[in-house]
């Protein structure tokens, strides 16, 4: 076996072990479409020509496994943080929340910050950060929403909530939010911690006076300029993880700036809207069904309780 083939296989197996369900939907389709084409790794970033997009794994620590949460120290440079704040500063509006049933944006006392959305690939600095986020999370750029910049002044907060949506409207765009990366753009003198009230890790965290009272109610991450917090709202099997409940504690002294990247299960830029009719959504459904994929890869092929599969006709489930 030559070394490229070996490396491709190794990366593929590693990815499969790490994100079994995600890799099914992203990889297996392409993989099965052409059984002989094994020389090429499927892990390449689309934007490989734009930047080197490698990350140093020694800068990342696991904070908690239930929910899955990781901290990347110094993910952003000071200049990148300042740049994001400059882009956002004069465009801030009161933050909204999604209504549980309708999915519409509504004002709420639960969330008192102000915020705005950047555009994807708005400039070279934004693009470069988006590339690095994809490299770190192993999740494709097209699955991400545009970054949201948030500003919390004295007393402002976001009470514990989930990032996945309860309403069906928001889930049409790329499915559930799978992962969230919170990037801290400023230091906060006191308060403003990200808190996970149901994290298993809260029992091991010393509750010293550097934490606000709100932060002591769970596992807390202190905002530090440049650090990035990655956590997953879904389990590995893509069901929602209620332990991903998290909030932003009130700022007690100073102010807090942060940037959020939400990453979905599927393509967010060009979502496939699955129709209600009994049809196949991909030209190779018949081929895959004949190879046993309805049984081996049911979430993509047939679907689950919350989302319809892409090959329901060939799998004879409608
Ligand atoms: C369908 O499968 C064939 C061969 O198995 C492959 O060449 C083709 O690219 C696939 N089509 C799509 C749209 O993926
Ligand atoms: C929305 O749903 C969440 C979780 O199911 C619940 O905690 C919250 O109270 C609901 N909010 C409203 C306004 O109904
Ligand atoms: C998905 O995984 C979670 C966590 O491991 C587990 O509690 C849950 O029962 C699983 N659900 C299904 C449908 O497999």
């Amino acid at each position: 076996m030559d070394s490229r083939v070996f490396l491709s296989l190794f990366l593929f197996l590693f990815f499969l072990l790490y994100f079994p369900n995600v890799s099914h939907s992203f990889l297996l389709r392409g993989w099965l479409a052409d059984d002989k084409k094994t020389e090429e790794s499927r892990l390449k970033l689309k934007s490989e020509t734009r930047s080197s997009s490698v990350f140093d794994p020694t800068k990342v620590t696991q904070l908690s496994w239930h929910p899955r949460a990781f901290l990347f120290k110094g993910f952003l440079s000071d200049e990148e943080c300042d740049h994001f704040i400059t882009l956002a500063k004069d465009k801030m509006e009161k933050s909204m929340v999604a209504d549980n049933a309708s999915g519409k944006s509504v004002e709420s006392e639960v969330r008192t910050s102000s915020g705005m959305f950047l555009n994807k690939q708005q400039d070279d600095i934004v693009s470069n950060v988006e590339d690095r986020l994809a490299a770190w999370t192993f999740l494709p750029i097209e699955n991400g929403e545009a970054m949201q910049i948030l500003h919390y002044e004295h007393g402002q907060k976001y009470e514990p909530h989930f990032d996945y949506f309860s309403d069906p409207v928001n889930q049409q765009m790329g499915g559930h939010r799978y992962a969230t990366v919170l990037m801290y753009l400023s230091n906060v003198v006191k308060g403003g911690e990200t808190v996970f009230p149901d994290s298993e890790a809260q029992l091991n965290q010393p509750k010293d006076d550097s934490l606000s009272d709100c932060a002591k109610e769970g596992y807390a991450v202190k905002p530090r300029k440049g650090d990035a917090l990655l956590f997953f709202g879904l389990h590995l099997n893509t069901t929602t993880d209620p332990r991903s409940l998290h909030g932003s504690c009130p700022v007690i002294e100073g102010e807090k700036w942060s940037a959020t990247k939400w990453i979905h299960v599927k393509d967010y830029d060009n979502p496939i809207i699955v129709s209600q009719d009994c049809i196949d959504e991909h030209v190779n459904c018949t081929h895959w069904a004949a190879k046993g994929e309805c049984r081996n890869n049911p979430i993509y092929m047939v679907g689950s309780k919350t989302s319809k599969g892409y090959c329901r006709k060939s799998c004879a489930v409608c």
Side-chain angles (χ1 to χ4, degrees):
M1 210 187 281
D2 81 45
S3 61
R4 278 180 68 204
V5 175
F6 181 78
L7 185 66
S8 305
L9 276 174
F10 174 79
L11 286 173
F12 180 68
L13 286 173
F14 172 77
F15 194 76
L16 215 53
L17 280 172
Y18 212 71
F19 293 117
N21 288 73
V22 181
S23 51
H24 261 223
S25 42
F26 292 132
L27 291 171
L28 222 43
R29 286 189 276 160
W31 193 265
L32 283 170
D34 188 347
D35 295 349
K36 287 177 207 74
K37 205 171 158 195
T38 44
E39 306 88 35
E40 218 177 293
S41 164
R42 302 271 163 183
L43 288 177
K44 280 185 191 157
L45 294 175
K46 267 194 175 164
S47 49
E48 59 194 296
T49 48
R50 273 214 309 265
S51 78
S52 56
S53 295
V54 287
F55 81 94
D56 175 1
T58 63
K59 292 196 173 166
V60 181
T61 48
Q62 181 184 309
L63 304 176
S64 160
W65 190 245
H66 297 109
R68 287 178 289 143
F70 306 85
L71 187 70
F72 192 137
K73 282 200 179 291
F75 179 75
L76 298 178
S77 67
D78 280 0
E79 292 72 26
E80 286 168 333
C81 293
D82 297 343
H83 180 69
F84 284 174
I85 295 174
T86 308
L87 290 179
K89 213 157 204 167
D90 52 2
K91 303 192 177 69
M92 305 301 282
E93 290 176 9
K94 170 141 185 24
S95 300
M96 309 285 253
V97 300
D99 179 74
N100 273 1
S102 70
K104 290 207 178 79
S105 285
V106 290
E107 282 197 19
S108 167
E109 280 311 302
V110 159
R111 188 181 197 191
T112 54
S113 58
S114 56
M116 59 80 72
F117 280 95
L118 299 175
N119 293 317
K120 274 180 125 174
Q121 299 175 13
Q122 176 162 335
D123 61 24
D124 287 348
I125 296 175
V126 173
S127 288
N128 186 274
V129 169
E130 287 172 337
D131 286 352
R132 276 150 49 205
L133 285 169
W136 174 30
T137 60
F138 280 99
L139 298 171
I141 287 186
E142 58 271 23
N143 291 26
E145 291 180 41
M147 276 189 273
Q148 189 182 44
I149 309 295
L150 290 172
H151 185 215
Y152 297 83
E153 291 175 346
H154 180 82
Q156 293 183 338
K157 55 159 190 194
Y158 194 176
E159 282 181 11
H161 61 280
F162 304 112
D163 282 356
Y164 49 79
F165 293 109
S166 308
D167 68 278
V169 182
N170 277 306
Q171 286 178 49
Q172 290 237 318
M173 295 284 286
H176 268 310
R177 282 175 176 165
Y178 184 58
T180 300
V181 183
L182 292 181
M183 290 157 274
Y184 302 109
L185 306 180
S186 69
N187 292 310
V188 183
V189 184
K190 181 117 204 234
E193 301 92 344
T194 303
V195 66
F196 294 90
D198 293 333
S199 166
E200 60 175 1
Q202 63 179 298
L203 301 172
N204 305 327
Q205 186 173 45
K207 309 287 184 222
D208 59 63
D209 283 340
S210 70
L211 294 177
S212 67
D213 288 343
C214 155
K216 290 178 188 161
E217 299 293 314
Y219 183 84
V221 181
K222 274 176 90 76
R224 271 190 239 289
K225 187 172 183 176
D227 288 0
L229 168 65
L230 161 67
F231 60 92
F232 292 84
L234 303 189
H235 291 300
L236 290 168
N237 61 17
T238 70
T239 60
T240 53
D241 182 358
R243 294 232 215 179
S244 67
L245 185 76
H246 61 282
S248 179
C249 288
V251 169
I252 295 172
E253 206 183 328
E255 57 175 346
K256 176 180 176 183
W257 285 92
S258 64
T260 309
K261 173 66 100 179
W262 288 292
I263 308 169
H264 289 249
V265 171
K266 294 179 273 192
D267 193 328
Y268 183 82
D269 293 338
N270 302 293
I272 307 172
I273 308 289
V274 178
S275 86
Q276 301 299 318
D277 304 332
C278 191
I279 53 168
D280 288 334
E281 308 272 347
H282 193 285
V283 291
N284 284 343
C285 281
T286 318
H287 175 59
W288 294 330
K291 296 193 93 166
E293 284 300 289
C294 301
R295 196 176 58 252
N296 296 333
N297 193 5
I299 293 186
Y300 176 80
M301 297 288 286
V302 177
S304 64
K305 274 204 195 101
T306 52
S307 72
K308 289 200 158 57
Y310 297 98
C311 298
R312 291 178 298 131
K313 182 160 179 256
S314 287
C315 292
V317 294
C318 59

